[in-house]
Amino acid sequence: MGTRASAPRAPATISTRVDKVGLRPKVTRAIRAFVVVILTVLILLPVVWMVMTSLKSPSDVVAVPPKIIFEPSIESFIFLVTERVQFPTRQEADEFRARDDLKWYEEKVAERGQKITRVGDFPKQLRNSFIIAGTSTIFSVLFGVLSAYAFSRFRIPGEGDLLFFILSTRMLPPVAVTIPIFLMYRELGLDNTYFGLILLYTTFNLSFSVWLLKGFIDEIPKEYEEAALVDGYTRLQAFRKVVLPQAVTGIAATTVFCFIFAWNEYAFAAMLTSDATRTAPPSIPSIQGVGRIEWETIAAASLVFLMPVVIVTFALRKHLLRGVTFGAIRKG
Amino acid sequence: MSSITLQNITKRFGEKTALNDLSLTIQDQEFFVLLGPTGAGKTTTLRVIAGLEKQDTGDVLFDGTSMTGAVPAERDVAFVFQQYSLYPNMSVFDNLAFPLRSPLRKLPKGEIERRVKTAAETLRITHLLARKTAKLSGGEMQRVSIGRAIVREPRVYLMDEPLSNLDAKLREALRIELVHLQKTQGSTTVFVTHDQIEALTMAQRIAVLDEGHILQIGTPHEIYDAPATTFVATLVGTPRINLMQASRQDGRIFVKDSSVRLPPPTGIDLPADFLLGVRPEDVRPTNSGEFSGKVALTEPLGVETIVHIRSGENILTSLVPGITPISVGEEVRFDIVRERLHYFHPTGKRIVAASV
Ligand SMILES: Nc1ncnc2c1ncn2[C@@H]1O[C@H](COP(=O)(O)OP(=O)(O)OP(=O)(O)O)[C@@H](O)[C@H]1O
Ligand SMILES: [Mg+2]
């Protein structure tokens, strides 16, 4: 600070940073960059491949050797959102194509000798995924914040035991209990309902969110709320005005993790949903091609499915990366 | 403003008894200081008054009305915390305005602004109002914490070592400012400190606390001139009081391992063995002094000098005005002011004049 205001000194004309001097640092930096690039490529390759596949035409998808350069097409996305039938004969297909009242996407499909019969199931499944994952995330985080706050701030009889008990729901792989849960859900009529899956995902996520958020809330000095209490606020108001704003980092992180879990969950979704409530994950691998396996459609489905997680994570990245800093507290 | 009474307050944390049967009354409009070493229970006392901590037994009364069961907001106290509690995600202005925006108060906007401005001017933080509190220095934060209390007109101010993190100059200035504020507002203030100078200069009355007990309550004058125990005597006053083992023999007071002999005081029954206390300013080097000793050390402080005089096995500290020519190794003669001697039982309790 002081130097800035003091008398001007001669500016340094050569770099005096030791790490810039000599060859060795350059080499290590190059190696470091190389490793990072390799890792990035390794991690991104499947994603890139998926994106490429989703943009290929049906013949390019199965071409051997694989085509790196190809003419992009969005056929796969049309396939993804439609239900189609193959014309039984060549002649019928050509007649259909000759009609001039076809929409551009109908024309695209007709080129493959197919006809769109109705909107496909995927949009609805994606919507189901949104409803179920979104609602369960909101519940997990909401209840998580409230109980984490209670565990953090109040003296609760048997607190340690309760926390352990909450965590114990995570102590075996969820798949191990699919059968009992399936039977229970059948008995209770919860199978094939939104509520059933929301309940299940919330239950699984809650233990995680309580523990994660308790850590974050423990970090917030209780003096903040006490000051608010003394200043004439109720505990709930103090919680809203003082604790919540400081817990955003934790809430953001928890939201992302809960959402990713609920969004990606496969086993229970496969077992407990069908038709009306089926979510996206179990339906992607079972996409029925018309007359063949439509790899490009599966890739397109995966890509679309990936987007919400990417968007949520990207939107909250600032909070995820930011360290938890509490500048205004003096210890001791 | 209100008077506050604590009746037989006991507060335990597990095994630890933080407050032990504590009773005291703070008058309306009084500047009352709680003085004590670390861990004495000062903060706990404030928290019990504020309702942030519930006492195990006893009662807290505001103006004679029991506050048991009243939540902090209902008690209408302003608390300056020892560890600050400024909201890091708000600006200084919003921090100061926070108590005024409480749903309990519903003040108009202009009034809030006016009060925040006044408080900021008093504490000289007007230039900081727009700043986020996380970007303040320690001393600035402390002033904002004080500001958050003085924007209000509460029944009582509770201040927990609010000046401890400031540099000497600012501390002195704020000491005067706070006392002035308290006088003009006529507010009841409970001020916690472990700094005896703060206590002596600011307080109308002081309660000395140790390990959850009140050792003495009195005016600064009483605390300094008639400390109830050796603990109080050593806590208050720098340099520290000289405490020497002494005994009474043949109607005279013999200070152990020393050549100091004194006539016994009138009107006080002394036991055979006791502790004699002499404040350093009552040890006065003069050429015609009755006692003699050798100077072991001098500490010139400018306004005054601390002279350590060895007398037998004892070292007496003496406080003399200005810079003295007395130098280390020198033989000096000194007097002890008889009227200002303190007598304590070997257990530490003050021996008082038998009431007539
Ligand atoms: N929440 C708590 N849990 C357990 N022990 C506590 C708690 N609060 C205070 N204590 C204990 O009670 C005693 C009194 O504490 P208190 O904070 O009142 O001391 P203090 O006089 O304010 O000290 P300092 O000058 O260090 O602030 C201490 O021994 C402390 O360890
Ligand atoms: Mg304290």
Side-chain angles (χ1 to χ4, degrees), chain B residues 13 16 18 37-44 82 161 194:
Chain B
F13 294 106
K16 170 91 195 164
T38 180
K42 308 181 293 292
T43 299
T44 309
Q82 185 173 10
E161 309 202 19
H194 61 245

Side-chain angles (χ1 to χ4, degrees), chain B residues 59-77:
Chain B
D59 205 354
V60 179
L61 310 175
F62 282 21
D63 289 328
T65 316
S66 169
M67 282 290 134
T68 307
V71 298
E74 290 163 349
R75 301 193 186 197
D76 192 18
V77 303

Side-chain angles (χ1 to χ4, degrees), chain A residues 155 220-235 237-238 240-248 325-332, chain B residues 11 47 50 52-53 72-73 77-79 81-90 98-99 101-105 133-134 141-142 148 152 161 164-165:
Chain A
R155 247 172 287 149
I220 304 170
K222 69 177 190 335
E223 277 84 359
Y224 289 133
E225 290 142 85
E226 289 181 339
L229 290 183
V230 169
D231 283 343
Y233 291 82
T234 65
R235 198 164 258 286
Q237 289 161 343
R240 234 191 42 213
K241 294 208 167 206
V242 179
V243 180
L244 276 190
Q246 293 193 62
V248 276
T325 50
F326 299 104
I329 187 84
R330 170 180 58 119
K331 293 277 179 198
Chain B
K11 174 73 198 172
R47 291 174 59 86
L52 291 173
E53 213 77 71
V77 303
F79 204 133
F81 285 81
Q82 185 173 10
Q83 306 200 336
Y84 345 104
S85 42
L86 300 181
Y87 311 117
N89 48 338
M90 294 185 198
F98 192 76
R101 288 180 181 148
S102 147
L104 280 184
R105 276 177 265 279
T133 54
M141 285 189 196
Q142 209 150 21
R148 218 175 47 186
R152 290 176 46 195
E161 309 202 19
S164 63
N165 207 32

Side-chain angles (χ1 to χ4, degrees), chain B residues 216-280:
Chain B
Q216 187 173 6
I217 300 180
T219 62
H221 188 84
E222 285 164 353
I223 299 276
Y224 190 79
D225 277 345
T229 68
T230 50
F231 184 90
V232 177
T234 46
L235 190 69
V236 180
T238 42
R240 223 175 223 249
I241 192 169
N242 296 292
L243 277 178
M244 297 163 289
Q245 303 219 335
S247 57
R248 182 176 49 82
Q249 286 165 28
D250 311 328
R252 279 180 72 78
I253 293 171
F254 286 75
V255 174
K256 209 174 155 215
D257 301 323
S258 149
S259 60
V260 176
R261 304 283 178 273
L262 293 162
T266 49
I268 298 180
D269 272 338
L270 290 177
D273 291 299
F274 59 94
L275 291 166
L276 180 70
V278 190
R279 293 268 180 212

